[in-house]
Each structure stands twice: as C-alpha cells, then as structure tokens.
Amino acid sequence: MTFHPRHLLLPAVIALGLTSPAAAADTVKLRYLASHGLAAHELAAELGYFDGTGITLENVGYAQGGPASLIALASGDVEIGSAATSAVLNSIIGGNDFVAAYPSNGINNEVQSTFYVLEDSPIKSIKDIAGKSIAVNTLGAHLDYTIREALHSVGLPADAANQLVVPGPQLEQVLRSKQVDIAAFGYWQTTFEGAALKNGGLRPIFDDTDVLGDIAGGFVVLRRDFAREHPEAAKIFVEQSARALDYAREHPEETKKILAEALSERGENADIAQYFRGYGVRAGGLPVERDIQFWIDVLVREGKLKEGQLAAKDILLTVDAKPASN
C-alpha cells in the first residue's frame, strides 16, 4: 500500500452524491504530509474510491502537527493540508487563501479529546488546571484553543495553564513520569489514548465536548487557486473522502485492519490500531456552519478578528466546488 500527508475560503457546503465517482477532466496529483493515523482521503485511496477518477495521492513527508501541514500547503509543497479549525482560521487571518474541503475529524460522544491526570493527582476539575502543565501535540491548534475555552468557561484567563509540546507517542510517558501534570489526548490520538488506558492508573478531568459540544475538530483544506483551477477534481476529492468517512463509521473493524497495515508500512506500532474509535464526523461527512462559526466567534472575542470580518459561508466549499472570489 502507498500512503501520503494529511492533516480555506468558499460559500455554501457541497451537496454530495456519494455514488460511483466521475472522472476529473484532467489528471491531478495531490501531495500531502502524513501524520499519526490515517486521513479519510488516504482511506478513500486504499478503498479504491479514486480509481478511474484521474486523481492520485502522493505522500511527500511527515507533519508533526496541523500548523506544519498548513505551512507546506501555503508554500506550494503540497496540495492538501489538514489542521484544527482554529489553526486554519489563524492561517487565513495571516493571509493564506485556503478553502475548507471536508471535516478531517469531529468530536462527539464516541470520539473526543480527553485530558488525563494520574489517578492520585489532586487535580479534579477545570478550575484546578490553572498553573499546571499540560502536554499537547502542538500549539495554536485544537487542544490549545480547547484549553483556552475551558479556562474561559470558569472565569480564568486563557493563558492560566502552561502548555508543553509533546508528540503523541510520548504523551503517556511524560504523564507517568510526572514531567507534566496533565496529558491531552486529541480526538485524532484515540489509538495512543487506548493504549495508555489499558495500562491503567489514569483519570479523566474533562474532554473537549464538555467545552465545545458536538463539532468538527478540524478540516482538510486546499488552496483557493487550486480549487479554482481544478473544480472537478476538488469536488471528487471531497465526495470520495466523505464517502470514506462513512465507510469508517459503518465498517469499524475493516477500517482498523487498514489502519494497522498503514502503521506497519510506516514503521509505527500497528497494535494501537485496535483502539481506533473512528473519525467522529457526522453521517455524510459534511460540515455545518457552526463547525467554523464557533471558532470565528472565539477569535472575534479575542480581538484577532473584527465582527463580521469573516463568516463560515466564506470558508466552506461551494456546491459546484468552485471557490468564491475575494
């Protein structure tokens, strides 16, 4: 199997007809940076959903986190980026012309990001995390903003906790060795979380659904100029990736097997595939405006955006996959 990288401005969401894919008018290669786990477009490729469409995927490296993926997208090194919604919006605010293709992951009752402490920790609630150290996989992305929102929800300053960057495979280790007070396992890191829980001795404090509710956690994104130049390919890419999201929800055991093979191919621990709980994305794989508007409102509150400066409909891919003009 061949695996490639994974994890924004257009109006109105695509109405996807998830049947046999049509062929794009031209042959298009989509490069991406791989990350821990398997993105839905990678799963779609392994399931043969892009066969005969003229679309091929190419893995050109590895991204530690979403912000690194967006930097590669902005520089033209890849055609596909993936990051937490907050990171995507910050990148747009910084001048990058991206469009949201499909939700990479979501949070709900089955899949969420959870903040753990050791069982004997005195930390019992969100209020107790002030002044404590929290391990997250990257700054400026989903876990970072979830912590800020959690602190805000109990009337504490958004920077009241100390965030430390720790790669996903080391989260359990740094918590058990007491290098940090709290380890945050992101919704995309349920495999690492499952392995850590199997070893026992951990206790959850809160999860991101407690703070954010049911919402998309991040998006796979394209450059606006690419979507404008290749509208049919962009549409097929979204349709078949969303189709793979549904496949994963409907066929969890088969998806775990594909994930295990992917991890083995990459030289990673294939055993953790058994803990995969799915992508957490609603049926159909489509976003709703709240998935993005929630974070726009947060950025307005923080003074990074002016009221009305940006709207969710300006960021989501249009029905015909053609991006809106600025």
Side-chain angles (χ1 to χ4, degrees), residues 99-150:
V99 296
Y102 72 86
S104 55
N105 294 80
I107 57 174
N108 55 29
N109 290 333
E110 286 73 46
V111 181
Q112 62 278 122
S113 307
T114 305
F115 294 75
Y116 288 96
V117 296
L118 295 176
E119 212 152 36
D120 60 357
S121 170
I123 301 171
K124 305 291 185 183
S125 68
I126 291 175
K127 284 189 175 182
D128 297 332
I129 73 175
K132 302 299 190 295
S133 57
I134 306 176
V136 299
N137 74 302
T138 190
L139 299 178
H142 182 78
L143 294 173
D144 185 338
Y145 274 84
T146 296
I147 292 167
R148 296 188 199 190
E149 281 301 292

XYZ file of all heavy atoms in Angstrom, residues 99-150:
394
model
N -9.329 27.031 1.431
C -10.743 26.674 1.457
C -10.909 25.361 2.221
O -10.057 24.479 2.159
C -11.327 26.533 0.031
C -11.282 27.873 -0.684
C -10.586 25.480 -0.776
N -11.999 25.236 2.945
C -12.264 24.035 3.734
C -12.881 22.964 2.849
O -13.958 23.152 2.296
C -13.198 24.372 4.894
N -12.213 21.832 2.707
C -12.685 20.761 1.839
C -13.663 19.835 2.558
O -14.795 19.659 2.123
C -11.497 19.957 1.301
N -13.224 19.234 3.655
C -14.122 18.371 4.437
C -13.595 18.267 5.871
O -12.412 18.501 6.119
C -14.238 16.982 3.790
C -13.012 16.097 3.909
C -12.810 15.293 5.036
C -12.057 16.042 2.900
C -11.691 14.485 5.158
C -10.934 15.221 3.010
C -10.764 14.446 4.146
O -9.657 13.643 4.266
N -14.463 17.936 6.835
C -14.011 17.793 8.223
C -13.077 16.593 8.351
O -13.451 15.472 7.998
C -15.306 17.560 9.010
C -16.405 18.006 8.108
C -15.931 17.738 6.717
N -11.884 16.821 8.843
C -10.925 15.722 8.994
C -11.321 14.808 10.142
O -11.141 13.592 10.079
C -9.524 16.279 9.222
O -9.510 17.165 10.336
N -11.834 15.385 11.185
C -12.269 14.667 12.375
C -13.359 15.480 13.057
O -13.547 16.659 12.762
C -11.122 14.477 13.375
C -10.013 13.578 12.866
O -9.166 14.016 12.095
N -10.010 12.335 13.294
N -14.049 14.841 13.965
C -15.045 15.554 14.743
C -15.029 15.056 16.173
O -14.347 14.084 16.504
N -15.759 15.741 17.033
C -15.884 15.299 18.415
C -17.353 15.073 18.723
O -18.221 15.852 18.338
C -15.256 16.297 19.402
C -15.872 17.698 19.267
C -13.756 16.386 19.183
C -15.384 18.685 20.314
N -17.631 13.973 19.387
C -18.994 13.625 19.789
C -18.911 12.681 20.980
O -17.859 12.574 21.618
C -19.765 13.005 18.616
C -19.052 11.794 18.020
O -18.321 11.077 18.723
N -19.251 11.551 16.736
N -19.978 11.986 21.284
C -19.979 11.099 22.449
C -19.060 9.899 22.290
O -18.673 9.267 23.269
C -21.411 10.610 22.741
C -22.291 11.723 23.265
O -21.807 12.678 23.864
N -23.595 11.613 23.034
N -18.721 9.557 21.050
C -17.861 8.398 20.812
C -16.397 8.780 20.634
O -15.496 8.027 21.004
C -18.321 7.639 19.555
C -19.598 6.833 19.724
C -20.829 7.708 19.801
O -20.947 8.629 18.968
O -21.663 7.495 20.704
N -16.150 9.939 20.064
C -14.776 10.372 19.772
C -14.592 11.784 20.316
O -15.338 12.698 19.949
C -14.502 10.363 18.253
C -13.065 10.786 17.972
C -14.777 8.985 17.667
N -13.600 11.959 21.196
C -13.339 13.279 21.748
C -11.893 13.359 22.237
O -11.198 12.350 22.339
C -14.291 13.621 22.902
C -14.216 12.714 24.114
C -15.007 11.440 23.961
O -14.413 10.364 24.074
N -16.288 11.515 23.683
N -11.466 14.586 22.515
C -10.147 14.807 23.111
C -10.328 14.811 24.625
O -11.204 15.503 25.143
C -9.574 16.154 22.663
O -9.581 16.266 21.258
N -9.491 14.045 25.325
C -9.655 13.914 26.760
C -8.373 14.310 27.479
O -7.271 13.989 27.037
C -10.045 12.475 27.142
O -11.218 12.097 26.409
C -10.337 12.360 28.636
N -8.544 15.000 28.605
C -7.435 15.486 29.416
C -7.308 14.587 30.641
O -8.220 14.513 31.467
C -7.677 16.942 29.815
C -7.661 17.892 28.645
C -8.746 17.955 27.763
C -6.566 18.706 28.394
C -8.733 18.814 26.671
C -6.546 19.569 27.305
C -7.631 19.616 26.438
N -6.159 13.919 30.754
C -5.951 12.924 31.807
C -4.894 13.358 32.816
O -3.932 14.064 32.484
C -5.482 11.595 31.197
C -6.553 10.843 30.450
C -6.672 10.962 29.067
C -7.442 9.998 31.118
C -7.655 10.270 28.366
C -8.423 9.300 30.425
C -8.520 9.434 29.050
O -9.489 8.739 28.366
N -5.084 12.900 34.052
C -4.086 13.041 35.106
C -3.824 11.654 35.676
O -4.557 10.703 35.393
C -4.564 13.989 36.229
C -4.750 15.397 35.697
C -5.854 13.466 36.855
N -2.793 11.538 36.501
C -2.571 10.287 37.209
C -3.669 10.122 38.256
O -4.221 11.109 38.758
C -1.199 10.297 37.878
C 0.005 10.349 36.919
C 1.303 10.445 37.707
C 0.025 9.149 35.983
N -3.977 8.901 38.578
C -5.122 8.611 39.439
C -5.036 9.318 40.793
O -6.051 9.726 41.365
C -5.239 7.100 39.652
C -6.663 6.615 39.815
C -6.822 5.189 39.353
O -5.890 4.381 39.555
O -7.887 4.887 38.772
N -3.820 9.496 41.330
C -3.675 10.122 42.647
C -3.463 11.634 42.579
O -3.130 12.275 43.579
C -2.520 9.477 43.415
C -1.181 9.611 42.680
O -1.167 10.144 41.555
O -0.152 9.179 43.237
N -3.664 12.223 41.400
C -3.474 13.669 41.232
C -4.526 14.451 42.014
O -5.687 14.053 42.084
C -3.566 14.041 39.751
O -3.607 15.448 39.585
N -4.141 15.591 42.593
C -5.119 16.445 43.290
C -6.015 17.224 42.330
O -6.979 17.864 42.755
C -4.236 17.380 44.102
C -2.972 17.483 43.304
C -2.770 16.115 42.723
N -5.708 17.177 41.040
C -6.493 17.909 40.037
C -7.821 17.193 39.823
O -7.861 16.018 39.461
C -5.722 18.020 38.715
C -4.386 18.743 38.932
C -6.556 18.740 37.654
C -3.459 18.705 37.732
N -8.927 17.916 40.053
C -10.256 17.300 39.979
C -11.181 17.947 38.946
O -12.140 17.326 38.502
C -10.953 17.388 41.347
C -10.165 16.808 42.505
C -10.051 15.307 42.418
C -9.349 14.733 43.658
N -9.166 13.273 43.576
N -10.903 19.199 38.576
C -11.822 19.926 37.697
C -11.053 20.908 36.833
O -9.836 21.097 37.000
C -12.861 20.675 38.528
O -12.239 21.735 39.253
N -11.779 21.568 35.923
C -11.151 22.561 35.050
C -10.500 23.672 35.859
O -9.397 24.129 35.542
C -12.188 23.139 34.062
C -12.614 22.069 33.056
C -11.615 24.347 33.332
C -13.727 22.501 32.122
N -11.134 24.112 36.945
C -10.552 25.182 37.762
C -9.176 24.808 38.299
O -8.323 25.672 38.496
C -11.488 25.527 38.914
C -12.699 26.355 38.502
C -13.475 26.848 39.706
C -14.612 27.766 39.279
N -15.365 28.303 40.438
N -8.949 23.522 38.495
C -7.683 23.066 39.065
C -6.534 23.056 38.073
O -5.380 22.843 38.464
C -7.840 21.654 39.641
C -8.831 21.590 40.792
O -8.994 22.607 41.484
O -9.444 20.518 40.989
N -6.811 23.253 36.784
C -5.721 23.185 35.808
C -4.929 24.488 35.741
O -3.858 24.534 35.135
C -6.221 22.801 34.394
C -6.971 23.965 33.728
C -7.091 21.549 34.448
C -7.373 23.665 32.280
N -5.423 25.547 36.364
C -4.688 26.815 36.376
C -3.335 26.608 37.045
O -3.231 26.014 38.117
C -5.489 27.877 37.123
N -2.280 27.085 36.386
C -0.935 26.971 36.921
C -0.295 25.617 36.706
O 0.853 25.402 37.101
N -1.013 24.697 36.075
C -0.497 23.345 35.860
C 0.081 23.214 34.448
O -0.219 24.001 33.552
C -1.600 22.310 36.077
C -2.225 22.352 37.461
C -1.191 22.084 38.544
C -1.835 21.875 39.911
N -2.506 23.095 40.408
N 0.888 22.174 34.241
C 1.486 21.913 32.928
C 0.655 20.876 32.183
O 0.269 19.855 32.752
C 2.926 21.427 33.083
O 2.978 20.262 33.890
N 0.387 21.162 30.924
C -0.448 20.287 30.100
C 0.312 19.929 28.832
O 0.746 20.809 28.082
C -1.781 20.961 29.724
C -2.517 21.467 30.970
C -2.667 19.992 28.933
C -3.798 22.221 30.668
N 0.449 18.630 28.561
C 1.112 18.174 27.343
C 0.116 18.155 26.190
O -0.945 17.548 26.290
C 1.691 16.774 27.551
N 0.456 18.842 25.102
C -0.355 18.852 23.878
C 0.577 18.579 22.706
O 1.789 18.805 22.796
C -1.076 20.203 23.674
C -2.031 20.489 24.822
C -0.063 21.345 23.534
N 0.030 18.099 21.599
C 0.912 17.727 20.490
C 1.434 18.931 19.703
O 2.487 18.860 19.077
C 0.211 16.757 19.531
C -0.823 17.441 18.671
O -1.757 18.055 19.185
N -0.667 17.356 17.369
N 0.702 20.045 19.740
C 1.167 21.248 19.049
C 0.440 22.456 19.617
O -0.640 22.329 20.206
C 0.921 21.140 17.526
O 1.587 22.208 16.855
C -0.558 21.198 17.189
N 1.032 23.617 19.453
C 0.406 24.855 19.921
C -0.362 25.526 18.783
O -0.084 25.294 17.615
C 1.481 25.814 20.459
C 2.305 25.319 21.656
C 3.352 26.355 22.036
C 1.406 25.010 22.853
N -1.330 26.348 19.141
C -2.088 27.099 18.150
C -3.139 26.298 17.428
O -3.687 26.760 16.424
N -3.443 25.100 17.932
C -4.409 24.230 17.261
C -5.528 23.835 18.226
O -5.808 24.542 19.186
C -3.702 23.010 16.680
N -6.165 22.691 17.969
C -7.400 22.338 18.671
C -7.244 22.259 20.186
O -8.038 22.843 20.931
C -7.931 21.008 18.132
C -9.215 20.571 18.758
N -10.444 21.106 18.405
C -9.483 19.669 19.736
C -11.402 20.546 19.119
N -10.839 19.667 19.941
N -6.245 21.528 20.656
C -6.098 21.361 22.099
C -5.756 22.683 22.777
O -6.269 22.980 23.866
C -5.019 20.319 22.389
C -5.354 18.892 21.946
C -4.155 17.976 22.135
C -6.568 18.357 22.697
N -4.925 23.467 22.143
C -4.573 24.790 22.650
C -5.836 25.622 22.875
O -6.066 26.158 23.974
C -3.652 25.461 21.633
C -3.108 26.812 22.094
O -3.702 27.444 22.973
O -2.061 27.235 21.551
N -6.685 25.696 21.854
C -7.885 26.511 21.961
C -8.942 25.878 22.861
O -9.741 26.585 23.499
C -8.449 26.810 20.567
C -7.799 28.029 19.961
C -6.584 27.933 19.301
C -8.376 29.283 20.096
C -5.958 29.050 18.773
C -7.764 30.414 19.565
C -6.556 30.290 18.907
O -5.938 31.412 18.399
N -8.967 24.561 22.945
C -9.891 23.911 23.875
C -9.523 24.275 25.309
O -10.408 24.549 26.144
C -9.856 22.380 23.703
O -10.322 22.051 22.391
C -10.750 21.690 24.729
N -8.239 24.281 25.614
C -7.788 24.671 26.959
C -8.171 26.120 27.236
O -8.662 26.449 28.327
C -6.266 24.471 27.081
C -5.936 22.972 27.036
C -5.738 25.101 28.365
C -4.467 22.675 26.843
N -7.979 26.979 26.260
C -8.352 28.391 26.448
C -9.849 28.535 26.721
O -10.270 29.300 27.602
C -7.987 29.196 25.197
C -6.511 29.267 24.882
C -6.274 30.245 23.749
N -4.999 30.045 23.099
C -4.481 30.884 22.217
N -5.145 31.986 21.886
N -3.315 30.637 21.652
N -10.656 27.800 25.952
C -12.103 27.852 26.139
C -12.513 27.268 27.486
O -13.428 27.774 28.144
C -12.818 27.102 25.011
C -12.931 27.883 23.723
C -13.685 29.189 23.921
O -14.903 29.140 24.181
O -13.056 30.258 23.840
N -11.844 26.193 27.895
C -12.142 25.587 29.192
C -11.873 26.583 30.320
O -12.698 26.749 31.234
C -11.309 24.324 29.376
